[in-house]
Amino acid sequence: MTSAFSVDPSVTVRVPAKVNLELGVGPRREDGYHGLSTVFMAVGLHDEVTASVSDDWQVEVTGPYAAHVPTDDTNLALRAAQALAALVGVDEPVALRIHKEIPVAGGMAGGSADAAAALLACDQLWSSSRSRDELSVLAAGIGSDVPFCLSGGIAIGSGRGEQLAPVLATGRYHWVFAVSDVGLSTPEVYAECDRLRGSAAVPVPEPSNGMMTALRSGDPEALGRALTNDLQEAAFSLQPSLREIVDAGLEYGALGGIVSGSGPTIAFLTGSPELALDLCVSLTASGVAGEVRRAKAPVQGAHVVTGPGRA
Ligand code: ATP
């Protein structure tokens, strides 16, 4: 391969985590994936990925969860950067520095977020100028949640979650996340969901009217009532302590509480920044939850914060 692209020293991209407001899981497909109908919301917990010109492909990870992130070629950010390099015909290795603030294996799409950030950072670094649509197609090949991490905001996901459609939505929301120190593996949670369902017929899921109405109204109480997750019972089955955390948060006044994606992070919706802070204090004081984090939502998807393509 030859490089026909101008090279700039480094580009930093900021990228949010996600919560699934609604996660409908359909039957297992022939390719092993489950058909999904989900509503994503991008939340204000961010990783930053910096791509720099380097002699070798490298990954370095900093931040509170760094120890749990692989730095070999299984790292999703590295895989994304190499996929873009192959697509655009670049043979310039990059060093990726990931500052990790999104919990790892927490059901918040942290790895997917880094992959989305790496795509955008390398696109800028190499001046390859791929459209968001082109990056989104590449993103879907890396992971089901990667296209949403690029786009951010609020969106309906179908297929494996990678096919996105816009949602008419308003309002600002205030979340509290109870972060578990025990990760749950996404494939194991889906397998447990299948096991619990046994041979029961599973309908193909679709977005609920309750969720769409809540998002149109911007009413946090309605949104709190509309939160659902078909993987929740499976996550509880694998980690029974998660049910206690949900119950405690609801008792302390959350408008809704739900396992985030495949867990084990629990997401609580509150009515204001002050109530979010109160809930953090109550959850921490009760000892039921270890680490708690607050975040506003929705927020924009992956975006350049330093470097030549700064928005
Ligand atoms: P999802 O919500 O998309 O199912 P998750 O939030 O549960 O994902 P991730 O944080 O994406 O889980 O991590 C899942 C696994 O992916 C980790 O255990 C880790 O080994 C691997 N991984 C690869 N690259 C990364 C990355 N850049 N950041 C975090 N984990 C990564």
Side-chain angles (χ1 to χ4, degrees):
M1 287 190 291
T2 56
S3 172
F5 300 95
S6 64
V7 173
D8 287 295
S10 77
V11 178
T12 298
V13 169
R14 195 167 153 80
V15 65
K18 61 83 182 162
V19 63
N20 301 81
L21 305 176
E22 181 168 85
L23 181 51
V25 177
R28 194 167 181 274
R29 309 189 313 196
E30 279 187 2
D31 63 4
Y33 289 100
H34 291 73
L36 300 183
S37 169
T38 191
V39 181
F40 292 110
M41 180 180 276
V43 301
L45 292 181
H46 292 93
D47 282 356
E48 282 190 359
V49 177
T50 302
S52 319
V53 175
S54 173
D55 291 336
D56 308 299
W57 292 98
Q58 292 171 29
V59 180
E60 181 197 350
V61 187
T62 59
Y65 307 109
H68 306 292
V69 180
T71 54
D72 61 10
D73 59 10
T74 63
N75 189 290
L76 287 174
L78 184 59
R79 285 181 41 203
Q82 291 179 334
L84 182 64
L87 180 78
V88 301
V90 163
D91 63 0
E92 311 275 358
V94 294
L96 295 172
R97 199 168 65 249
I98 301 172
H99 184 74
K100 190 99 204 131
E101 290 284 342
I102 303 174
V104 177
M108 302 195 76
S112 302
D114 296 347
L119 285 179
L120 192 57
C122 291
D123 181 61
Q124 295 284 339
L125 188 73
W126 296 325
S127 304
S128 45
S129 302
R130 298 290 141 156
S131 67
R132 283 278 177 155
D133 284 350
E134 285 175 290
L135 292 181
S136 194
V137 170
L138 193 58
I142 295 159
S144 307
D145 293 340
V146 185
F148 178 72
C149 295
L150 272 176
S151 69
I154 302 175
I156 293 172
S158 58
R160 293 178 280 117
E162 85 287 11
Q163 294 164 24
L164 300 178
V167 176
L168 194 58
T170 183
R172 291 284 287 162
Y173 298 96
H174 304 277
W175 293 91
V176 169
F177 296 98
V179 179
S180 171
D181 51 6
V182 188
L184 272 180
S185 140
T186 303
E188 281 173 24
V189 177
Y190 276 96
E192 182 67 1
C193 178
D194 289 340
R195 192 188 70 76
L196 292 174
R197 285 173 165 177
S199 56
V202 179
V204 175
E206 50 185 48
S208 71
N209 287 336
M211 175 57 66
M212 294 302 114
T213 306
L215 288 171
R216 262 200 309 275
S217 69
D219 173 3
E221 291 192 13
L223 185 60
R225 285 193 299 274
L227 300 173
T228 57
N229 181 354
D230 283 354
L231 293 177
Q232 180 151 296
E233 284 306 318
F236 287 166
S237 169
L238 295 172
Q239 283 285 341
S241 60
L242 299 180
R243 192 189 294 273
E244 285 167 43
I245 301 175
V246 173
D247 290 346
L250 294 175
E251 198 175 307
Y252 295 136
L255 300 174
I258 198 171
V259 169
S260 178
S262 56
T265 303
I266 306 294
F268 293 109
L269 187 62
T270 68
S272 70
E274 294 75 21
L275 291 169
L277 183 57
D278 288 349
L279 182 59
C280 284
V281 171
S282 300
L283 286 169
T284 306
S286 72
V288 71
E291 186 188 353
V292 287
R293 308 276 301 272
R294 279 179 293 155
K296 291 181 186 160
V299 296
Q300 65 175 317
H303 56 283
V304 175
V305 288
T306 59
R310 182 171 184 176

